[in-house]
């Protein structure tokens, strides 16, 4: 068992950004699936596409109120999440990393949840009417999107300071814009340019939510980061990683499963708009204070 866990950890970016729940219930099953897919010579992109199909299929069963349908919905989404982990692990194990693979991997979760939110709103319609759709729209398209975007940004930033730029995916819109402008639509680079068009907007949303963080990065980059600053940032950022995990998948999906199985899906929307939103606001406040303190430290030096 310990050897298996060591192999799983080798496919993870950092223990700081992957909790014990993810290690045992997400990453380990994903790793086992990745090993099977490698034996079968299945490409990571095919695994990603299969995860999208399973996630979307789960939404069909989430519409229904009977327990059997919701057990099927939960099972499909659990497997979809395992495959979503397996595709990245498989890509790292086989060296089959591609741009389209990275795009589809990020796209998968968005497609699942958009379909699931529509399904839950449809489920609420007979008793809640338009209010079920309004609550779902607020929870999903205001709270969920911002919560997940910022949690993903903070995890990548933690990895950037902890492991360096080569092992993180922290991007800045100003650099992405330069790359975008250098590409041409009427060339073989059109797909990358299209991807960057949307990805720049995604990155800008993250940056607009973090003004003090951007001020800190503007002071630090592109110069080498002092080791004292790096260590201080990682030390104070590490306690925020459990909140990031909760806002990306762990806690959110657990409440979704319980709400669906108990047939109180309105509770999931309400939980996302209150409890998770409070976690989001507190996480952002603490991270912005961290960045302000680092900036002041640089100024005093």
């Amino acid at each position: 068992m310990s050897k298996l866990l060591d192999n799983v950890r080798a496919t993870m970016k950092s223990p700081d950004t992957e909790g014990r729940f993810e290690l045992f219930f997400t990453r380990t099953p994903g790793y086992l699936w990745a090993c099977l897919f490698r034996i079968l010579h299945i490409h990571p992109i095919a695994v990603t596409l299969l995860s999208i199909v399973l996630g979307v299929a789960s939404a069909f069963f989430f519409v229904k109120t009977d327990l059997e349908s919701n057990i099927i919905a939960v099972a499909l989404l659990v497997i979809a999440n395992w495959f979503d982990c397996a595709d990245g692990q498989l890509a790292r194990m086989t060296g089959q990393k591609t741009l389209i693979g990275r795009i589809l991997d990020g796209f998968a979760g968005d497609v699942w949840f958009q379909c699931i939110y529509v399904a839950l709103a449809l489920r609420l319609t007979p008793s809640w009417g338009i209010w079920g759709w309004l609550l779902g729209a607020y929870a999903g398209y205001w709270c969920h999107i911002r919560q997940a975007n910022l949690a993903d940004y903070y995890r990548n930033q933690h990895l950037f300071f902890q492991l360096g730029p080569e092992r993180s995916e922290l991007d800045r819109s100003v650099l992405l814009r330069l790359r975008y402008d250098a590409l041409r639509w009427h060339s073989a680079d059109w797909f990358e340019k299209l991807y960057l068009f949307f990805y720049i907007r995604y990155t800008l949303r993250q940056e607009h939510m973090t003004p003090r963080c951007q001020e800190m990065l503007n002071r630090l980059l592109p110069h080498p980061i002092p080791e004292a600053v790096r260590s201080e940032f990682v030390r104070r950022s590490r306690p925020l990683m459990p909140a990031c995990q909760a806002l990306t998948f762990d806690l959110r999906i657990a409440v979704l499963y319980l709400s669906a199985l108990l047939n109180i899906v309105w509770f999931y929307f309400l939980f996302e708009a209150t409890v998770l939103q409070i976690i989001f606001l507190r996480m952002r406040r603490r991270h912005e204070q961290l960045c302000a303190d680092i900036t002041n430290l640089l100024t005093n030096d």
Side-chain angles (χ1 to χ4, degrees), residues 107-125:
F107 181 65
D110 293 338
V111 174
W112 302 348
F113 277 104
Q114 287 177 15
C115 294
I116 290 170
Y117 276 76
V118 171
L120 298 183
L122 286 170
R123 183 167 170 170
L124 285 177
T125 299

Side-chain angles (χ1 to χ4, degrees), residues 77-96:
L77 194 54
V78 166
I79 298 172
N81 187 43
W82 287 345
F83 285 8
D84 188 49
C85 292
D87 59 5
Q89 291 169 307
L90 180 61
R92 286 187 286 273
M93 290 162 59
T94 60
Q96 295 175 302

Side-chain angles (χ1 to χ4, degrees), residues 1-12 15 19-29 31-32 89:
M1 184 65 179
S2 60
K3 181 174 176 56
L4 171 62
L5 293 179
D6 288 341
N7 291 337
V8 174
R9 291 189 180 98
T11 67
M12 297 164 58
R20 293 183 64 83
F21 177 88
E22 283 191 325
L23 174 61
F24 287 100
F25 295 100
T26 303
R27 296 298 178 183
T28 298
Y31 173 79
L32 294 174
Q89 291 169 307

Side-chain angles (χ1 to χ4, degrees), residues 29-43:
Y31 173 79
L32 294 174
W33 278 109
C35 291
L36 176 62
F37 293 139
R38 181 174 61 177
I39 293 172
L40 298 176
H41 302 289
I42 296 176
H43 197 279

Side-chain angles (χ1 to χ4, degrees), residues 33-288:
W33 278 109
C35 291
L36 176 62
F37 293 139
R38 181 174 61 177
I39 293 172
L40 298 176
H41 302 289
I42 296 176
H43 197 279
I45 291 178
V47 179
T48 305
L49 293 174
L50 185 55
S51 78
I52 294 174
V53 171
L54 292 172
V56 171
S58 75
F60 173 79
F61 291 95
F62 274 122
V63 175
K64 304 176 185 297
T65 58
D66 62 282
L67 182 60
E68 181 180 352
S69 294
N70 282 270
I71 291 175
I72 295 173
V74 169
L76 287 172
L77 194 54
V78 166
I79 298 172
N81 187 43
W82 287 345
F83 285 8
D84 188 49
C85 292
D87 59 5
Q89 291 169 307
L90 180 61
R92 286 187 286 273
M93 290 162 59
T94 60
Q96 295 175 302
K97 298 179 181 180
T98 62
L99 174 62
I100 189 171
R102 180 180 173 186
I103 296 170
L104 288 174
D105 189 46
F107 181 65
D110 293 338
V111 174
W112 302 348
F113 277 104
Q114 287 177 15
C115 294
I116 290 170
Y117 276 76
V118 171
L120 298 183
L122 286 170
R123 183 167 170 170
L124 285 177
T125 299
S127 55
W128 285 61
I130 188 64
W131 296 107
W133 287 90
L134 293 175
L135 179 59
Y138 175 72
Y141 293 97
W142 175 255
C143 298
H144 181 152
I145 288 177
R146 297 172 76 242
Q147 292 164 6
N149 284 4
L150 197 63
D152 181 61
Y153 187 62
Y154 285 164
R155 290 173 74 170
N156 283 328
Q157 194 168 111
H158 184 85
L159 292 171
F160 178 85
F161 278 85
Q162 183 184 38
L163 305 177
E166 66 283 350
R167 296 181 61 186
S168 73
E169 295 178 357
L170 181 67
D171 292 310
R172 307 194 70 197
S173 62
V174 62
L175 300 179
L176 292 171
R177 171 62 67 177
L178 292 175
R179 182 176 169 188
Y180 173 85
D181 291 339
L183 301 175
R184 295 291 177 264
W185 287 110
H186 301 291
S187 70
D189 299 325
W190 70 269
F191 186 80
E192 183 178 1
K193 191 173 180 71
L194 179 64
Y195 159 68
L196 287 173
F197 177 82
F198 291 104
Y199 188 56
I200 287 171
R201 281 146 186 80
Y202 174 83
T203 306
L204 281 171
R205 286 197 299 270
Q206 295 173 322
E207 293 174 350
H208 288 161
M209 287 189 286
T210 56
R212 291 183 176 180
C213 177
Q214 302 315 307
E215 182 181 357
M216 178 196 70
L217 291 175
N218 288 335
R219 290 290 305 272
L220 284 172
L221 302 178
H223 311 289
I225 300 175
E227 186 57 36
V229 171
R230 185 189 302 276
S231 299
E232 177 67 7
F233 184 93
V234 171
R235 182 185 70 82
R236 292 182 56 182
S237 173
R238 186 175 289 117
L240 300 180
M241 292 302 102
C244 292
Q245 293 159 14
L247 293 176
T248 48
F249 201 80
D250 292 358
L251 182 58
R252 185 190 309 278
I253 206 66
V255 174
L256 170 61
Y257 291 159
L258 289 174
S259 300
L261 293 171
L262 297 175
N263 197 24
I264 50 171
V265 296
W266 56 267
F267 179 78
Y268 172 68
F269 287 157
L270 192 63
F271 178 82
E272 197 162 50
T274 55
V275 176
L276 292 186
Q277 189 66 8
I278 290 171
I279 294 175
F280 162 77
L281 293 172
R282 186 169 182 268
M283 178 185 71
R284 184 173 68 174
R285 178 179 59 80
R286 290 178 62 189
H287 197 278
E288 285 287 275

